[in-house]
């Protein structure tokens, strides 16, 4: 053997020895790790240096959730990645089958399907990071036939597939990790504190936790408060740790949680605050209770005794959140007013037959009066537009819901025995017949609030299944006039609408469903032209917004004074501008068109889905197409969409799929005019949730608009009674953007998100 060959053998042996020393070193470090986080994050680079690869991920098995998870350090924050243990991903497949895989190209679907038909590669991380995954070698981490995790390396240095030698070496490392992860799991099982998960995640050390017990005791704080304050432990991480320890759901405070009135009977606020528990709701015969220590058997027995049931589901919560719920449920709406729980407690109902219970609670009872007043006051304080009183025959409860920013939220649940008295009280306030329960009735309430201001409510009672009645109240609060600048119109819509308002005569229509802000827009338009030299008459039902300078009339159809009668009267009263609340019939529409042709500027509303459809609807009513074409100035269709909370909305870089969905809904050709491309600088906003928006992520609403301007071409199409499609295509060619397109423009501007736009707009 030549000296050169011997030298090569010696070098090769030295390399192998150096590699074995490195493996021994990392093995010792793995076994010395104090927690799983140290293995997943701190030791990852050391393991990667042994492998001929560019990237590595170590996953740990979560048997309870049937997932594997890893931790990634992004800046100073630790993020958790979770993958289901199934065949839909590479790591999930290895965990599910306990088989190693060696993939030459992760993007080659044929190669993946030869391994398993369901196997997929998630390329979202590549798109976010700019990294291009190609080769993947993944092996299961197993100890004594038990899956402990998965180790995966990506992109072989120098290219080409990972070799059999690479696989053998990775399996050797997996064997070391299997022993270490098993020992970590065994140590974790030995611990018996509710903060074990924080130790496993590496958010706390053993010494820090040990010292915290004494320091928290000295400062008079709970351990949870102390850890959040000193070590910046998030409430989410604390909740996960409590869930893991108690095997109970962690519940945070939610202001939208309805008051469980029937469960609070005979429970004193002071007692609940002292004992730190509170009932939340009764669902499917089971009472959910929030408690600080679900393992306290004595406390559980006391709860079962007081609530007179054995079907208790204990949830775990922080002391601060439990106290917030108690204050929320027992809250007074004014300094001199009782809470609802205390009001109902004073009625002292006994459990007897329904007929007897109804006789015990009367609409004349002072507590029922206070209860109804409080519901109305709270609805107004929460900016609700509607109040829904809904007796439930099956559950034997009375639900109260508020509509806020277009969505219904649960407010409280009343005992079933109060349904008749509550409905009768509202009927008395609305001057309705309390003896008539078989027919729907409509009325109005003028309600004086404690501050002295007055709100008006439109009341509708409707008989529902089971011999009960629902009540829906629309709050018609006296609103301030908004300006056109505050309407959130696009630059094109705003400038074109101003040109329309400058015309001396013609007809302007604002269209959309009930509650879409049509009246607000009309008053903004009138405010723009409301000058001393203009005589403006309005006919409304009801008058919700008042403006100085307008002569406003409230119609009364019951005595024959409807919109058409009001308009005929206005024409004899020297008007310059006429605004009619709604064109409900042929007579009103015909009078409006004739008024616009005789030198008056006419505004009105109509219930249609889009601006082009409005033309067809009016022509179908029987309006003369030539007169209508001559009189029409423009049609503004609108919807209201929930806006993202300005305090907490979250900026993010969307997936390309989401961008393509936006382009699809907007229209690819027209989207090119916006000059927006998908790149790393493209960002959108999404809801997050904070105290200011009741953790919904949304606060307030804004309009999305579709303005059809009556150009000469549009007028010719109207006169010829052309189809909706022809009108829409012509209007779009002239610059109109549909409701959906305007909504997407506001999504791109960060005001709302696509989900909200699609909930109110159709293509």
């Amino acid at each position: 053997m030549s000296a050169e060959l011997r030298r090569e053998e010696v070098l090769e042996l030295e390399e192998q020895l150096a590699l074995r020393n490195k493996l021994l070193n990392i093995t010792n470090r793995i076994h010395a790790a104090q927690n799983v986080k140290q293995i997943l994050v701190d030791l990852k680079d050391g393991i990667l240096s042994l492998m001929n690869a560019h990237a590595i991920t170590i996953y740990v098995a979560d048997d309870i959730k049937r997932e594997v998870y890893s931790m990634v350090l992004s800046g100073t924050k630790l993020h958790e990645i979770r993958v289901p243990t199934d065949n839909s991903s590479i790591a999930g497949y290895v965990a599910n089958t306990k088989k190693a895989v060696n993939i030459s190209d992760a993007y080659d679907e044929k190669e993946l399907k030869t391994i398993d038909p369901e196997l997929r590669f998630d390329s979202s991380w590549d798109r976010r990071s700019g990294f291009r995954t190609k080769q993947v070698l993944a092996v299961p981490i197993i100890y004594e036939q038990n899956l402990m995790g998965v180790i995966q390396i990506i992109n072989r240095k120098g290219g080409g597939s990972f070799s059999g030698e690479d696989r053998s070496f990775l399996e050797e490392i997996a064997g070391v990790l299997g022993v270490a992860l098993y020992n970590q799991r065994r140590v974790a099982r030995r611990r018996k504190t509710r903060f074990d998960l924080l130790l496993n995640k590496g958010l706390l050390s053993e010494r820090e936790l040990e010292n915290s017990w004494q320091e928290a005791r000295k400062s008079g704080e709970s351990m949870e408060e102390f850890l959040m304050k000193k070590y910046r432990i998030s409430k989410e991480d604390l909740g996960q740790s409590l869930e893991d320890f108690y095997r109970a759901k962690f519940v945070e405070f939610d202001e939208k949680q309805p008051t469980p009135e029937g469960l609070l009977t005979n429970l004193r606020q002071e007692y609940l605050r002292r004992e730190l528990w509170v009932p939340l709701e009764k669902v499917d015969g089971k009472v959910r209770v929030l408690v600080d220590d679900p393992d306290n058997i004595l406390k559980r027995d006391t709860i079962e005794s007081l609530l007179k049931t054995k079907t208790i589901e204990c949830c775990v919560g922080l002391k601060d959140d439990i106290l917030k719920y108690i204050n929320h449920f027992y809250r007074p709406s004014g300094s001199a007013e009782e809470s609802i729980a205390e009001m109902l407690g004073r009625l002292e109902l006994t459990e007897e037959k329904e007929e007897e219970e109804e006789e015990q609670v009367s609409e004349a009872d002072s507590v029922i009066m206070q209860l109804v007043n409080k519901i109305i006051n709270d609805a107004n304080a929460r900016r609700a537009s509607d109040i829904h009183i809904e007796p439930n025959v099956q559950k034997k409860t009375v639900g109260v819901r508020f509509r806020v920013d277009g969505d219904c939220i649960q407010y409280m649940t009343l005992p079933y025995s109060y349904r008749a008295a509550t409905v009768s009280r509202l009927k008395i306030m609305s001057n309705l017949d309390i003896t008539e329960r078989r027919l729907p009735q409509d009325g109005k309430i003028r309600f004086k609030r404690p501050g002295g201001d007055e709100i008006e409510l439109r009341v509708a009672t409707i008989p529902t299944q089971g011999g009960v009645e629902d009540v829906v109240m629309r709050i018609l609060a006296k609103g301030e006039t908004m300006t056109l600048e505050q309407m959130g119109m696009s630059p094109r819509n705003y400038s074109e609408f101003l040109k329309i308002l400058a015309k001396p005569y013609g007809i302007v229509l604002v269209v959309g469903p009930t509650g879409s802000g049509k009246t607000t827009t009309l008053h903004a338009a009138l405010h723009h032209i409301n000058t001393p030299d203009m005589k403006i008459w309005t006919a409304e039902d009801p008058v919700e917004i008042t403006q100085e300078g307008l002569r406003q009339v409230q119609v009364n159809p019951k005595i024959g004074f409807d919109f058409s009668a009001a308009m005929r009267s206005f024409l004899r009263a020297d008007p310059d501008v006429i605004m009619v609340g709604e064109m409900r019939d042929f007579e009103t529409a015909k009078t409006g068109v004739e008024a616009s042709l005789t030198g008056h500027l006419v505004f009105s509303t109509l219930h249609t889905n889009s601006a082009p459809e409005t033309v067809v609807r009016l022509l179908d009513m029987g309006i003369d197409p030539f007169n209508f074409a001559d009189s029409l100035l423009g049609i503004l269709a609108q919807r209201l969409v929930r806006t993202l909370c300005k305090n907490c909305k979250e900026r993010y870089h969307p997936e390309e799929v989401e961008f393509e969905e936006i382009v699809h809904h907007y229209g690819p050709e027209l989207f090119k005019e916006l000059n927006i491309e998908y790149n790393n600088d493209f960002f959108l906003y999404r809801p997050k949730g904070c105290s200011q928006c009741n953790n919904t992520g949304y606060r307030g609403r804004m309009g999305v608009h579709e303005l059809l301007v009556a150009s000469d071409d549009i007028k010719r199409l109207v006169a010829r009674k052309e189809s909706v499609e022809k009108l829409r295509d012509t209007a779009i060619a002239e610059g109109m953007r549909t409701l959906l397109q305007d909504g997407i423009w506001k999504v791109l501007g960060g005001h709302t998100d696509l989900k909200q736009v699609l909930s109110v707009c159709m293509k």
Side-chain angles (χ1 to χ4, degrees), residues 3-20:
E4 188 175 340
L5 283 174
R6 282 200 300 272
R7 192 162 44 251
E8 286 179 2
E9 285 181 356
V10 170
L11 288 173
E12 188 177 340
L13 286 171
E14 285 177 350
E15 284 179 8
Q16 289 179 1
L17 183 60
L19 191 62
R20 285 291 156 189

Side-chain angles (χ1 to χ4, degrees), residues 634-654:
I635 302 170
L636 180 72
Q638 75 174 55
R639 300 286 188 278
L640 290 180
V641 62
R642 299 174 80 191
T643 52
L644 295 166
C645 175
K646 293 178 182 176
N647 183 58
C648 68
K649 66 180 181 180
E650 186 177 50
R651 187 168 178 254
Y652 75 103
H653 179 60

